[in-house]
Short mmCIF file of all heavy atoms in Angstrom, two decimals:
data_model
loop_
_atom_site.label_atom_id
_atom_site.label_comp_id
_atom_site.label_asym_id
_atom_site.label_seq_id
_atom_site.Cartn_x
_atom_site.Cartn_y
_atom_site.Cartn_z
N GLU T 945 75.11 155.48 136.43
CA GLU T 945 76.50 155.43 135.96
C GLU T 945 76.71 154.09 135.23
O GLU T 945 76.36 153.03 135.76
CB GLU T 945 77.46 155.54 137.13
CG GLU T 945 78.92 155.46 136.75
CD GLU T 945 79.85 155.53 137.95
OE1 GLU T 945 79.35 155.73 139.07
OE2 GLU T 945 81.07 155.38 137.77
N HIS T 946 77.26 154.14 134.02
CA HIS T 946 77.49 152.93 133.24
C HIS T 946 78.37 151.95 134.02
O HIS T 946 79.41 152.32 134.56
CB HIS T 946 78.14 153.28 131.91
CG HIS T 946 78.38 152.09 131.03
ND1 HIS T 946 79.59 151.44 130.97
CD2 HIS T 946 77.54 151.42 130.18
CE1 HIS T 946 79.49 150.44 130.13
NE2 HIS T 946 78.26 150.40 129.64
N PHE T 947 77.94 150.70 134.08
CA PHE T 947 78.68 149.66 134.80
C PHE T 947 79.46 148.78 133.84
O PHE T 947 80.68 148.72 133.87
CB PHE T 947 77.70 148.84 135.64
CG PHE T 947 78.34 147.87 136.60
CD1 PHE T 947 79.64 148.06 137.06
CD2 PHE T 947 77.63 146.77 137.04
CE1 PHE T 947 80.21 147.16 137.95
CE2 PHE T 947 78.19 145.87 137.94
CZ PHE T 947 79.48 146.06 138.38
N PHE T 948 78.75 148.08 132.94
CA PHE T 948 79.45 147.30 131.93
C PHE T 948 78.50 146.91 130.80
O PHE T 948 77.28 146.94 130.96
CB PHE T 948 80.09 146.04 132.53
CG PHE T 948 79.11 144.97 132.96
CD1 PHE T 948 78.80 143.91 132.12
CD2 PHE T 948 78.51 145.01 134.21
CE1 PHE T 948 77.91 142.92 132.51
CE2 PHE T 948 77.62 144.03 134.61
CZ PHE T 948 77.32 142.98 133.76
N ASP T 949 79.10 146.56 129.66
CA ASP T 949 78.35 146.05 128.51
C ASP T 949 78.45 144.53 128.50
O ASP T 949 79.42 143.94 129.00
CB ASP T 949 78.90 146.61 127.20
CG ASP T 949 78.74 148.12 127.12
OD1 ASP T 949 77.66 148.61 127.46
OD2 ASP T 949 79.71 148.80 126.73
N ASP T 950 77.48 143.89 127.89
CA ASP T 950 77.44 142.43 127.88
C ASP T 950 77.28 141.93 126.45
O ASP T 950 77.00 142.70 125.53
CB ASP T 950 76.29 141.94 128.74
CG ASP T 950 76.62 140.65 129.50
OD1 ASP T 950 77.61 139.99 129.12
OD2 ASP T 950 75.90 140.33 130.45
N TYR T 951 77.45 140.64 126.27
CA TYR T 951 77.23 140.03 124.96
C TYR T 951 76.83 138.57 125.14
O TYR T 951 77.05 137.96 126.20
CB TYR T 951 78.47 140.15 124.07
CG TYR T 951 79.73 139.53 124.62
CD1 TYR T 951 80.02 138.18 124.45
CD2 TYR T 951 80.66 140.31 125.31
CE1 TYR T 951 81.19 137.62 124.95
CE2 TYR T 951 81.83 139.76 125.81
CZ TYR T 951 82.09 138.42 125.63
OH TYR T 951 83.25 137.85 126.13
N PHE T 952 76.21 138.03 124.11
CA PHE T 952 75.76 136.64 124.12
C PHE T 952 76.83 135.73 123.54
O PHE T 952 77.55 136.10 122.61
CB PHE T 952 74.47 136.48 123.30
CG PHE T 952 73.26 137.08 123.93
CD1 PHE T 952 72.79 138.32 123.53
CD2 PHE T 952 72.56 136.41 124.93
CE1 PHE T 952 71.66 138.88 124.09
CE2 PHE T 952 71.42 136.97 125.50
CZ PHE T 952 70.97 138.21 125.08
N MET T 953 76.88 134.52 124.08
CA MET T 953 77.72 133.46 123.53
C MET T 953 76.95 132.14 123.66
O MET T 953 76.02 132.02 124.46
CB MET T 953 79.04 133.37 124.29
CG MET T 953 78.89 133.07 125.77
SD MET T 953 80.49 132.80 126.61
CE MET T 953 81.20 134.42 126.50
N VAL T 954 77.34 131.17 122.84
CA VAL T 954 76.71 129.85 122.89
C VAL T 954 77.51 128.96 123.82
O VAL T 954 78.73 128.84 123.68
CB VAL T 954 76.62 129.24 121.48
CG1 VAL T 954 76.03 127.83 121.55
CG2 VAL T 954 75.76 130.12 120.58
N VAL T 955 76.81 128.36 124.80
CA VAL T 955 77.48 127.52 125.79
C VAL T 955 76.71 126.22 125.97
O VAL T 955 75.51 126.13 125.66
CB VAL T 955 77.59 128.24 127.15
CG1 VAL T 955 78.46 129.49 127.04
CG2 VAL T 955 76.20 128.60 127.68
N ALA T 956 77.42 125.22 126.48
CA ALA T 956 76.79 123.93 126.76
C ALA T 956 77.64 123.19 127.78
O ALA T 956 78.82 123.51 127.99
CB ALA T 956 76.66 123.11 125.48
N SER T 957 77.04 122.20 128.39
CA SER T 957 77.76 121.35 129.32
C SER T 957 78.78 120.51 128.56
O SER T 957 78.51 120.05 127.44
CB SER T 957 76.78 120.42 130.05
OG SER T 957 77.47 119.36 130.70
N PRO T 958 79.98 120.29 129.13
CA PRO T 958 80.95 119.40 128.46
C PRO T 958 80.44 117.97 128.34
O PRO T 958 80.98 117.17 127.57
CB PRO T 958 82.18 119.50 129.36
CG PRO T 958 81.69 119.98 130.68
CD PRO T 958 80.51 120.86 130.38
N HIS T 959 79.38 117.66 129.09
CA HIS T 959 78.81 116.31 129.06
C HIS T 959 77.46 116.29 128.34
O HIS T 959 76.59 115.46 128.63
CB HIS T 959 78.64 115.79 130.49
CG HIS T 959 79.87 115.94 131.35
ND1 HIS T 959 81.04 115.27 131.08
CD2 HIS T 959 80.10 116.73 132.44
CE1 HIS T 959 81.95 115.62 131.98
NE2 HIS T 959 81.41 116.50 132.82
N LEU T 960 77.29 117.21 127.40
CA LEU T 960 76.03 117.32 126.68
C LEU T 960 75.70 116.00 125.97
O LEU T 960 76.52 115.48 125.20
CB LEU T 960 76.11 118.45 125.66
CG LEU T 960 74.85 118.75 124.85
CD1 LEU T 960 73.77 119.35 125.75
CD2 LEU T 960 75.16 119.68 123.68
N PRO T 961 74.50 115.46 126.19
CA PRO T 961 74.12 114.25 125.46
C PRO T 961 74.17 114.47 123.96
O PRO T 961 73.72 115.50 123.45
CB PRO T 961 72.68 114.00 125.94
CG PRO T 961 72.61 114.66 127.29
CD PRO T 961 73.48 115.87 127.18
N GLY T 962 74.74 113.54 123.25
CA GLY T 962 74.85 113.64 121.80
C GLY T 962 76.10 114.35 121.34
O GLY T 962 76.31 114.52 120.13
N GLY T 963 76.93 114.81 122.29
CA GLY T 963 78.17 115.47 121.93
C GLY T 963 77.99 116.95 121.63
O GLY T 963 76.87 117.45 121.52
N LEU T 964 79.10 117.65 121.48
CA LEU T 964 79.09 119.10 121.27
C LEU T 964 79.18 119.43 119.78
O LEU T 964 79.98 118.83 119.05
CB LEU T 964 80.26 119.75 122.00
CG LEU T 964 80.29 119.59 123.53
CD1 LEU T 964 81.61 120.07 124.09
CD2 LEU T 964 79.13 120.34 124.15
N PRO T 965 78.37 120.37 119.30
CA PRO T 965 78.50 120.80 117.91
C PRO T 965 79.82 121.52 117.70
O PRO T 965 80.30 122.23 118.57
CB PRO T 965 77.30 121.75 117.72
CG PRO T 965 76.98 122.23 119.09
CD PRO T 965 77.30 121.11 120.01
N ARG T 966 80.43 121.33 116.53
CA ARG T 966 81.74 121.94 116.24
C ARG T 966 81.61 123.27 115.52
O ARG T 966 82.53 124.08 115.55
CB ARG T 966 82.57 120.96 115.41
CG ARG T 966 82.99 119.71 116.17
CD ARG T 966 83.52 118.64 115.23
NE ARG T 966 82.46 118.19 114.29
CZ ARG T 966 82.66 117.27 113.35
NH1 ARG T 966 83.84 116.74 113.19
NH2 ARG T 966 81.64 116.91 112.57
N THR T 967 80.50 123.52 114.84
CA THR T 967 80.27 124.77 114.12
C THR T 967 78.84 125.23 114.37
O THR T 967 77.97 124.41 114.72
CB THR T 967 80.47 124.60 112.61
OG1 THR T 967 79.43 123.72 112.10
CG2 THR T 967 81.84 124.00 112.29
N PRO T 968 78.56 126.53 114.18
CA PRO T 968 77.19 127.00 114.35
C PRO T 968 76.19 126.27 113.47
O PRO T 968 75.04 126.08 113.87
CB PRO T 968 77.28 128.49 113.98
CG PRO T 968 78.69 128.87 114.30
CD PRO T 968 79.51 127.66 113.95
#
Side-chain angles (χ1 to χ4, degrees):
E945 178 182 356
H946 182 263
F947 189 24
F948 71 95
D949 296 316
D950 216 343
Y951 58 85
F952 289 100
M953 60 174 67
V954 177
V955 297
S957 165
H959 310 296
L960 183 69
L964 299 170
R966 292 166 296 180
T967 67

